[in-house]
Amino acid sequence: MEEQHPCLGLCFFENQLFYAVNDPTSSQKLAHIGCYDFNFDITETLLGNSEQHFRGIKQTIDQFKEEYEIRHLRILSLPTQECWTSVPKIVYDDSDEREKHINILMSGIDRKNIQPTWYTLSNQDYKFLLLRNNQSFEGFRELTGNTSTTDLVSDFEIGLRWVQHANPGGSFMTVCCYQDCISVASFILGKLRGATYIPYDEVQDLPYLWLQHTKQLNWMGGLHEEIYVYGQNAFQVIEILEPFWDDAGTITKMDTLDKIQIEADEQTYGFNLESAFPAIMLALDYD
C-alpha cells in the first residue's frame, strides 16, 4: 500500500503565519497546529515588496515540509487580490458572453494572466465566478518549491470545506476577518448561496458598509442558523456587526477544538485558534 503523506494548510494575517498538518490516518485529527511570528507584514511581502523577507517565509515553510514530509500544500488566498461575482447561467453557457464579462471585470489585464474558476450556486439560474490575476500570486506559488501538489484556496471555499468536515445542514454564514476587509459567504443545504468581501479603512466603518452591501446582496440579510466567525480581531468584528445579524442565528467564534470539531494532541495554544481556523480546514484532506 502506498505510504500516505500529510497535508499542510497555511494562512497569513499581518505578521503571523498559521499552519496545520493533518494526520493521514484520521480524517478528524491533526498532527500539529502552529503559529510563526515574523517582524514584517507577510501579505505585503508575498505581493512582491521584499525579496529578503520572502526568503525568510520560504525557509520557514521548507522546514515544515521537511519535518512533516509534506507532499500536498494548500494556501489561503487574499480576497482583495481576487474578483468574485455572480452571473446569470445564460452568460456562462455562451462562450462569447463569458469572455466579454471576464474582459470587463479584469479590464487592462492580459487575458493569458487571468484564471477564471466557476462554481455552482444553490440558485441554479446563476453561476459564481472567481477571477485571479496570476501575476499577483507569483509570490504565493514560489513558496511551494518542489511540493508535489499545491492549491491556492479562496476564503469562501473554507465554507465548502466546512460542509465536508462538519455537515452542518440548514443555512450558515462564514465571516473571515482580515486587517483591511472581511470576507462573507452564505451557504444553504450544503451549497454556496453567495459570497463577497468588504474592504474597509477603519473597522468602525463596518456597520455602514454592511448595510450598503446588504442592499445589493439579499442573501446577506437572509436567515442564517449559524454564523461562523474567524480570522484576526474576530471578537471585535462580532461586537460591531452582531446587531446587524439575524437574531435567530447562533454566532460562533471558531476558537476551540470542540467548536472546530477536530482532534489534536495539543489542547492549549499560545495564539488565537480562530486565526488558525482556515489553515486547519485546508490541512484536512477531503479531496
Side-chain angles (χ1 to χ4, degrees), residues 108-162:
I109 299 173
D110 194 320
R111 180 63 178 86
K112 68 181 181 182
N113 294 323
I114 301 173
Q115 177 188 337
T117 308
W118 296 87
Y119 296 82
T120 300
L121 290 172
S122 56
N123 183 344
Q124 297 183 5
D125 292 332
Y126 288 83
K127 287 281 189 177
F128 191 79
L129 173 61
L130 160 67
L131 294 170
R132 289 193 185 116
N133 178 358
N134 286 329
Q135 290 181 315
S136 299
F137 290 97
E138 287 180 357
F140 285 76
R141 293 186 177 89
E142 288 176 18
L143 287 177
T144 62
N146 58 354
T147 309
S148 297
T149 56
T150 302
D151 296 324
L152 192 61
V153 182
S154 293
D155 187 78
F156 65 85
E157 294 179 272
I158 297 298
L160 295 173
R161 299 188 69 82
W162 178 251

Side-chain angles (χ1 to χ4, degrees), residues 56-113:
I57 303 171
K58 190 175 188 308
Q59 287 171 1
T60 301
I61 294 174
D62 286 343
Q63 290 173 6
F64 299 154
K65 288 159 58 178
E66 182 177 354
E67 180 178 356
Y68 297 104
E69 298 183 346
I70 298 298
R71 299 288 179 85
H72 192 177
L73 174 61
R74 298 188 187 96
I75 305 176
L76 186 69
S77 181
L78 299 175
T80 53
Q81 298 298 311
E82 299 179 335
C83 176
W84 304 353
T85 187
S86 297
V87 299
K89 188 175 180 296
I90 55 174
V91 170
Y92 170 79
D93 291 337
D94 187 318
S95 59
D96 289 338
E97 286 298 317
R98 284 202 309 265
E99 288 303 311
K100 287 178 183 177
H101 272 69
I102 291 171
N103 289 333
I104 291 171
L105 291 167
M106 303 292 279
S107 178
I109 299 173
D110 194 320
R111 180 63 178 86
K112 68 181 181 182
N113 294 323

Side-chain angles (χ1 to χ4, degrees), residues 164-229:
Q164 292 176 294
H165 172 62
N167 190 25
S171 62
F172 69 90
M173 183 166 65
T174 61
V175 180
C176 185
C177 312
Y178 294 84
Q179 177 188 7
D180 57 355
C181 78
I182 59 171
S183 166
V184 187
S186 175
F187 300 82
I188 184 167
L189 299 177
K191 294 182 178 180
L192 177 66
R193 179 158 46 181
T196 190
Y197 54 87
I198 306 176
Y200 61 81
D201 294 322
E202 299 290 339
V203 70
Q204 300 300 333
D205 295 336
L206 276 176
Y208 165 76
L209 295 170
W210 184 272
L211 291 174
Q212 188 180 51
H213 278 69
T214 303
K215 288 180 180 179
Q216 303 297 324
L217 302 169
N218 292 333
W219 57 262
M220 286 182 60
L223 172 64
H224 294 99
E225 297 165 53
E226 302 284 346
I227 301 171
Y228 302 107
V229 188

